[in-house]
Amino acid sequence: MRQHLKDFFARHEPHCGSVLVGLKSGAGGMLGMGLVGGAAAFTQLPLLIAPFGASAVLLFGHPATPLAQPANVIGGYAVSAAIGLLVAVVFPGAWWAAALGVGLAILAMLLLRLSHPPAGAVPILMVVAAIDPFELAGIVFAGSIALVLIASLYHRLPPRHDYPRRIA
């Protein structure tokens, strides 16, 4: 039983490498969210959505993981937005539509090999947000592209990371 409990508290994540790498990752997340927030203030569009903060952790803190690759980020958000839009339009105001949307988004992302965990929150937003789901779909798509572009440029700064990951 004690070993079972230890498994819950074991850290499976590899070391970030150095304080400099950790600082660069944090600064990248701050820059990425700052630029998206600045664009939100400039355009008056609600571009600062919570899933983008979770995406920043992957894009800037774990750029080598498959879940942070451009196809997964943009594709995962696109798939989840499409499914979220579908459930929001077909079942407007139904609380259970959010759960249905999340389950369908997970299924679709896995089948298409485009998993991006933060995108799983998008169907919830589509169902419960006060904003029009069609407008929200555009925001999600544009924001995901912006974050990937910012991460692509940012990872060229020292200490460099290969982002996107090169195919062998």
Side-chain angles (χ1 to χ4, degrees), residues 8-149:
F8 277 96
F9 297 100
R11 290 187 229 150
H12 300 280
E13 184 175 344
H15 228 284
C16 74
S18 70
V19 172
L20 180 60
V21 171
L23 285 171
K24 182 186 176 203
S25 297
M30 187 170 60
L31 177 68
M33 296 316 314
L35 290 173
V36 170
F42 181 74
T43 63
Q44 298 299 308
L45 292 171
L47 294 167
L48 275 179
I49 59 173
F52 289 164
S55 293
V57 172
L58 291 169
L59 285 166
F60 296 99
H62 300 280
T65 182
L67 303 174
Q69 299 312 300
N72 290 68
V73 176
I74 297 167
Y77 274 118
V79 165
S80 291
I83 290 170
L85 188 58
L86 176 72
V87 297
V89 169
V90 174
F91 308 111
W95 64 266
W96 50 267
L100 176 64
V102 170
L104 291 174
I106 291 168
L107 171 65
M109 285 190 286
L110 287 172
L111 291 175
L112 295 170
R113 295 177 35 227
L114 292 172
S115 294
H116 185 66
V122 170
I124 298 170
L125 287 176
M126 293 284 192
V127 170
V128 303
I131 187 171
D132 176 65
F134 289 95
E135 185 178 351
L136 187 55
I139 288 166
V140 165
F141 193 62
S144 66
I145 291 171
L147 283 172
V148 166
L149 290 175

